[in-house]
Amino acid sequence: GAVVSQHPSRVICKSGTSVKIECRSLDFQATTMFWYRQFPKKSLMLMATSNEGSKATYEQGVEKDKFLINHASLTLSTLTVTSAHPEDSSFYICSALLAGGGSGEQFFGPGTRLTVL
Amino acid sequence: QQQVKQSPQSLIVQKGGISIINCAYENTAFDYFPWYQQFPGKGPALLIAIRPDVSEKKEGRFTISFNKSAKQFSLHIMDSQPGDSATYFCAATLNSGGYQKVTFGTGTKLQVIP
């Protein structure tokens, strides 16, 4: 149980285009999902917290207009990288909070590798 | 500000040996300390976790030791195997806005050689 999927697993796009990444909780409902960014050989940096039916909460330094987050249902959150540039190339990972699971019960997706040419 | 410091950055251990990774935290409000294992190109997976009211937790070959007064905790992997080769992240969580916010350590790349 507690499986989180991400789609796509890899995406290559041209500079200036927008890319949407989906995060789904497959066998549980998640009122809260998180989006992280990970640079090579680095730790995960929290970008934003996504709550179902409300606006996402962004961490300091993360551009809201560039990284659009939508949490339309209890099993789906999307991250859209708008007008992507090469510096946006990174590994994006989502996680979902298991409702009632207690402290720190986040389950992570397999990640999406974004490469912007 | 790095709230969770992790060492070493990389570690090479012989098969059958003990792998030890150390972490230290600053914020005494942290109330849960998970360890994650991440293979290349994959998302992190929860390995084992401990609460600050417990000094040690063991699950199979994995043991967390927790020293609340020193604000330090460590992961011990007994009888290390080549399949354990991965990057390990310690983490600390605290309640923020009704949910647990996770702060990750910097990661330790473990290589277990045959």
PDB file of all heavy atoms in Angstrom, chain A residues 6-18:
ATOM      1  N   GLN A   6       4.364   9.044 -10.404  1.00  0.00           N
ATOM      2  CA  GLN A   6       4.608  10.319 -11.086  1.00  0.00           C
ATOM      3  C   GLN A   6       4.655  10.072 -12.580  1.00  0.00           C
ATOM      4  O   GLN A   6       5.141   9.042 -13.056  1.00  0.00           O
ATOM      5  CB  GLN A   6       5.944  10.947 -10.643  1.00  0.00           C
ATOM      6  CG  GLN A   6       5.866  11.711  -9.357  1.00  0.00           C
ATOM      7  CD  GLN A   6       7.163  12.391  -9.000  1.00  0.00           C
ATOM      8  OE1 GLN A   6       7.776  12.062  -7.992  1.00  0.00           O
ATOM      9  NE2 GLN A   6       7.587  13.372  -9.791  1.00  0.00           N
ATOM     10  N   HIS A   7       4.151  11.060 -13.309  1.00  0.00           N
ATOM     11  CA  HIS A   7       4.173  10.946 -14.761  1.00  0.00           C
ATOM     12  C   HIS A   7       4.434  12.314 -15.378  1.00  0.00           C
ATOM     13  O   HIS A   7       3.799  13.293 -14.955  1.00  0.00           O
ATOM     14  CB  HIS A   7       2.830  10.398 -15.277  1.00  0.00           C
ATOM     15  CG  HIS A   7       2.774  10.310 -16.763  1.00  0.00           C
ATOM     16  ND1 HIS A   7       3.356   9.297 -17.487  1.00  0.00           N
ATOM     17  CD2 HIS A   7       2.248  11.163 -17.683  1.00  0.00           C
ATOM     18  CE1 HIS A   7       3.175   9.497 -18.762  1.00  0.00           C
ATOM     19  NE2 HIS A   7       2.495  10.611 -18.920  1.00  0.00           N
ATOM     20  N   PRO A   8       5.341  12.455 -16.317  1.00  0.00           N
ATOM     21  CA  PRO A   8       6.181  11.379 -16.849  1.00  0.00           C
ATOM     22  C   PRO A   8       7.391  11.122 -15.946  1.00  0.00           C
ATOM     23  O   PRO A   8       7.645  11.877 -15.018  1.00  0.00           O
ATOM     24  CB  PRO A   8       6.619  11.954 -18.200  1.00  0.00           C
ATOM     25  CG  PRO A   8       6.685  13.427 -17.953  1.00  0.00           C
ATOM     26  CD  PRO A   8       5.562  13.733 -16.989  1.00  0.00           C
ATOM     27  N   SER A   9       8.128  10.076 -16.235  1.00  0.00           N
ATOM     28  CA  SER A   9       9.339   9.796 -15.464  1.00  0.00           C
ATOM     29  C   SER A   9      10.504  10.631 -15.991  1.00  0.00           C
ATOM     30  O   SER A   9      11.409  10.986 -15.238  1.00  0.00           O
ATOM     31  CB  SER A   9       9.680   8.308 -15.521  1.00  0.00           C
ATOM     32  OG  SER A   9       9.845   7.899 -16.878  1.00  0.00           O
ATOM     33  N   ARG A  10      10.468  10.893 -17.289  1.00  0.00           N
ATOM     34  CA  ARG A  10      11.488  11.736 -17.908  1.00  0.00           C
ATOM     35  C   ARG A  10      10.824  12.631 -18.942  1.00  0.00           C
ATOM     36  O   ARG A  10       9.896  12.204 -19.622  1.00  0.00           O
ATOM     37  CB  ARG A  10      12.544  10.891 -18.627  1.00  0.00           C
ATOM     38  CG  ARG A  10      13.445  10.093 -17.732  1.00  0.00           C
ATOM     39  CD  ARG A  10      14.378   9.225 -18.565  1.00  0.00           C
ATOM     40  NE  ARG A  10      15.292   8.456 -17.725  1.00  0.00           N
ATOM     41  CZ  ARG A  10      16.481   8.882 -17.343  1.00  0.00           C
ATOM     42  NH1 ARG A  10      16.900  10.079 -17.720  1.00  0.00           N
ATOM     43  NH2 ARG A  10      17.257   8.133 -16.595  1.00  0.00           N
ATOM     44  N   VAL A  11      11.298  13.855 -19.045  1.00  0.00           N
ATOM     45  CA  VAL A  11      10.780  14.757 -20.069  1.00  0.00           C
ATOM     46  C   VAL A  11      11.886  15.690 -20.518  1.00  0.00           C
ATOM     47  O   VAL A  11      12.652  16.200 -19.686  1.00  0.00           O
ATOM     48  CB  VAL A  11       9.546  15.538 -19.568  1.00  0.00           C
ATOM     49  CG1 VAL A  11       9.857  16.325 -18.314  1.00  0.00           C
ATOM     50  CG2 VAL A  11       8.989  16.444 -20.646  1.00  0.00           C
ATOM     51  N   ILE A  12      11.958  15.839 -21.826  1.00  0.00           N
ATOM     52  CA  ILE A  12      12.903  16.783 -22.420  1.00  0.00           C
ATOM     53  C   ILE A  12      12.087  17.813 -23.183  1.00  0.00           C
ATOM     54  O   ILE A  12      11.216  17.442 -23.976  1.00  0.00           O
ATOM     55  CB  ILE A  12      13.880  16.071 -23.374  1.00  0.00           C
ATOM     56  CG1 ILE A  12      14.672  14.997 -22.612  1.00  0.00           C
ATOM     57  CG2 ILE A  12      14.822  17.072 -24.023  1.00  0.00           C
ATOM     58  CD1 ILE A  12      15.532  14.128 -23.503  1.00  0.00           C
ATOM     59  N   CYS A  13      12.346  19.069 -22.946  1.00  0.00           N
ATOM     60  CA  CYS A  13      11.573  20.098 -23.634  1.00  0.00           C
ATOM     61  C   CYS A  13      12.477  21.235 -24.080  1.00  0.00           C
ATOM     62  O   CYS A  13      13.621  21.360 -23.625  1.00  0.00           O
ATOM     63  CB  CYS A  13      10.469  20.639 -22.727  1.00  0.00           C
ATOM     64  SG  CYS A  13      11.071  21.604 -21.329  1.00  0.00           S
ATOM     65  N   LYS A  14      11.939  22.043 -24.959  1.00  0.00           N
ATOM     66  CA  LYS A  14      12.687  23.196 -25.439  1.00  0.00           C
ATOM     67  C   LYS A  14      12.500  24.377 -24.495  1.00  0.00           C
ATOM     68  O   LYS A  14      11.459  24.507 -23.835  1.00  0.00           O
ATOM     69  CB  LYS A  14      12.218  23.579 -26.852  1.00  0.00           C
ATOM     70  CG  LYS A  14      12.554  22.551 -27.919  1.00  0.00           C
ATOM     71  CD  LYS A  14      12.098  23.030 -29.283  1.00  0.00           C
ATOM     72  CE  LYS A  14      12.461  22.025 -30.372  1.00  0.00           C
ATOM     73  NZ  LYS A  14      12.003  22.483 -31.716  1.00  0.00           N
ATOM     74  N   SER A  15      13.460  25.224 -24.457  1.00  0.00           N
ATOM     75  CA  SER A  15      13.387  26.412 -23.618  1.00  0.00           C
ATOM     76  C   SER A  15      12.184  27.261 -24.016  1.00  0.00           C
ATOM     77  O   SER A  15      11.911  27.451 -25.207  1.00  0.00           O
ATOM     78  CB  SER A  15      14.679  27.221 -23.783  1.00  0.00           C
ATOM     79  OG  SER A  15      14.694  28.318 -22.920  1.00  0.00           O
ATOM     80  N   GLY A  16      11.448  27.726 -23.030  1.00  0.00           N
ATOM     81  CA  GLY A  16      10.287  28.562 -23.295  1.00  0.00           C
ATOM     82  C   GLY A  16       8.968  27.827 -23.269  1.00  0.00           C
ATOM     83  O   GLY A  16       7.902  28.454 -23.214  1.00  0.00           O
ATOM     84  N   THR A  17       9.006  26.519 -23.292  1.00  0.00           N
ATOM     85  CA  THR A  17       7.772  25.730 -23.242  1.00  0.00           C
ATOM     86  C   THR A  17       7.403  25.429 -21.802  1.00  0.00           C
ATOM     87  O   THR A  17       8.205  25.618 -20.883  1.00  0.00           O
ATOM     88  CB  THR A  17       7.911  24.424 -24.019  1.00  0.00           C
ATOM     89  OG1 THR A  17       8.962  23.639 -23.432  1.00  0.00           O
ATOM     90  CG2 THR A  17       8.263  24.685 -25.480  1.00  0.00           C
ATOM     91  N   SER A  18       6.172  24.948 -21.616  1.00  0.00           N
ATOM     92  CA  SER A  18       5.692  24.584 -20.278  1.00  0.00           C
ATOM     93  C   SER A  18       5.576  23.074 -20.161  1.00  0.00           C
ATOM     94  O   SER A  18       5.252  22.393 -21.134  1.00  0.00           O
ATOM     95  CB  SER A  18       4.338  25.234 -20.006  1.00  0.00           C
ATOM     96  OG  SER A  18       4.464  26.633 -19.953  1.00  0.00           O
TER      97      SER A  18
END
